[in-house]
Amino acid sequence: MTRRVLLVDDDAAVREALGQTLELAELQPITAGSFVEAKDNITPAFEGVVVSDIRMPGRDGFHLLEYAHGVDPDLPVILLTGEGDIPMAVRGMAAGAFDFLEKPCGPKDLLAVVEKALKTRELVLENRRLKQQLSRGDAAARLLHGQSAQAEGLRERVRAVARTSAEVLITGEPGTGTSKVAEVIHLLSGASQRPFQKLVAATLTPEALRDAFDAAKGGTLFLDEVATLPQATQFLALDLMENAPSARVVAGTYRDLETEAREGRFNPDLYYKLDVMRVRIPSLRERTEDIPILFRHYLQLACEQAALPMPDITPDLGARLMAQDWPGNARSLMNAAMRFAMGLGEAETEEELGLNERLAQVERSMLIEALQRQHGNATEAAQVLKLPRKTFYDKLARHNLRPEDFR
């Protein structure tokens, strides 16, 4: 059960008294004397509620309320007001505070409001866990890896597209995996129990395309690199899709199909027919934080297939992988993982890195190490590195690091 209470008040005596009240009720107070001390504890996964004084030096309780709801709109924040501060409390309620208490507040009043907020928080977190379990079990979660906002956006887009029966155009750079995304769309669709056929567009004759439509029987046809589809086959594809639809067509391309159509290299009518629903796959340079996750996944697959022990992936290795350019995207990262599994070393691009890139690797590794040792506490990590808090957070942003990922 959720029992944690983040207690924020600049008055040490008040913090101690309220903290004792919470402890006697078998709750778990986390005390902080300011907004700066409190903010590192506030995450979307925080299993507790916030009790904060309104009047504090520097950033006050209203600022804390705004920050907390920016991180998690469902996080209950209870405001403490001094005598005569009722108008301020009303303002807090209008801003989304869960409730307010007038100081000095009795133990019974404090515990009644806190228990109510904790029950609300527990219900919210349980609903989130159930939703995560449902989404974690589908093909998008199993086959499309990554924790970045771009990766989650791709999974959500694929799920939305799969719920329709319209044609789909999948775009992305070479190596991003258009065929895998097409397969996930099929697995999440109502046609998942029917055939999924992957067809190489460049070699597809009109006869072969007609045979594929006949054999699909309500399944999905994936046209790999549709921009290379021969012209005669393009006309037939459009005709079959409009007049004899027996399968859903999903097409993938690494080219700009709109430009191909505009310059006469691709049938414009077929382009508009295919581009009903579009899914764009982000490149690795757009989601560098996913590179170590994908590398670990590919490494694990390679080790399982070759019956090899799983080698360690150190923070330094992860930092070096993220600093490298991957023009082949997931395909080239997969090849690097296979070589690493066989003891052939990393992708041999370190020699090509300049001084700035190497310094960035070292800086990122030190940030990661500090966060790991301090279990994601940004304040303590900044102190270990002897950095001002603003400088420390600027460096975290530059390297796409989040303290909460190390808790």
Side-chain angles (χ1 to χ4, degrees), residues 351-371:
E351 295 179 0
E352 302 172 7
L353 297 179
L355 178 61
N356 288 338
E357 288 84 357
R358 294 192 182 194
L359 289 174
Q361 289 180 355
V362 173
E363 182 177 75
R364 191 174 198 283
S365 298
M366 293 180 68
L367 291 169
I368 290 173
E369 183 180 9
L371 287 168

Side-chain angles (χ1 to χ4, degrees), residues 76-315:
V77 178
I78 301 164
L79 295 177
L80 300 176
T81 68
E83 186 177 357
D85 283 344
I86 298 301
M88 295 183 68
V90 173
R91 174 187 161 195
M93 296 294 288
F98 182 83
D99 208 334
F100 71 93
L101 291 166
E102 188 174 357
K103 295 195 301 183
C105 57
K108 184 176 179 181
D109 293 333
L110 173 66
L111 293 176
V113 174
V114 168
E115 289 287 357
K116 181 179 177 182
L118 286 170
K119 289 179 181 178
T120 300
R121 183 62 172 165
E122 186 173 20
L123 181 61
V124 167
L125 293 176
E126 180 61 22
N127 287 337
R128 287 181 184 173
R129 280 191 286 268
L130 291 173
K131 289 180 180 179
Q132 288 174 354
Q133 289 173 3
L134 288 173
S135 63
R136 201 177 293 134
D138 70 12
R142 295 195 311 271
L143 300 175
L144 303 178
H145 301 278
Q147 296 179 351
S148 67
Q150 292 85 348
E152 182 56 32
L154 174 62
R155 287 189 288 267
E156 289 304 314
R157 179 61 178 167
V158 164
R159 290 177 180 125
V161 166
R163 289 193 289 267
T164 74
S165 58
E167 285 77 24
V168 184
L169 180 63
I170 305 172
T171 65
E173 294 181 3
T176 50
T178 56
S179 62
K180 174 176 279 191
V181 169
E183 185 177 2
V184 172
I185 291 173
H186 172 74
L187 291 172
L188 293 174
S189 72
S192 60
Q193 302 301 313
R194 296 174 181 174
F196 174 78
Q197 296 192 44
K198 177 181 174 181
L199 308 172
V200 180
T203 61
L204 197 59
T205 64
E207 293 76 15
L209 180 64
R210 191 181 297 276
D211 291 342
F213 263 86
D214 291 341
K217 298 177 182 178
T220 304
L221 293 179
F222 174 60
L223 303 179
D224 196 4
E225 192 44 80
V226 70
T228 63
L229 193 66
Q231 201 167 52
T233 312
Q234 291 181 31
F235 284 108
L236 178 63
L238 180 61
D239 181 64
L240 291 172
M241 291 164 64
E242 290 184 338
N243 301 314
S246 60
R248 182 186 196 180
V249 175
V250 176
T253 184
Y254 302 127
R255 303 184 189 181
D256 184 343
L257 204 60
E258 183 177 7
T259 299
E260 296 287 313
R262 186 172 58 249
E263 296 181 357
R265 293 185 294 272
F266 194 82
N267 187 313
D269 291 332
L270 180 58
Y271 162 65
Y272 289 117
K273 181 67 175 175
L274 291 171
D275 196 27
V276 176
M277 303 287 289
R278 182 177 291 206
V279 175
R280 179 185 171 275
I281 309 174
S283 64
L284 286 186
R285 68 175 175 277
E286 297 175 71
R287 48 175 186 142
T288 54
E289 63 193 279
D290 288 336
I291 290 176
I293 298 170
L294 292 168
F295 185 82
R296 179 181 294 277
H297 170 68
Y298 298 142
L299 182 61
Q300 187 172 9
L301 290 179
C303 290
E304 289 176 356
Q305 292 171 359
L308 294 169
M310 180 77 173
D312 291 333
I313 301 177
T314 64

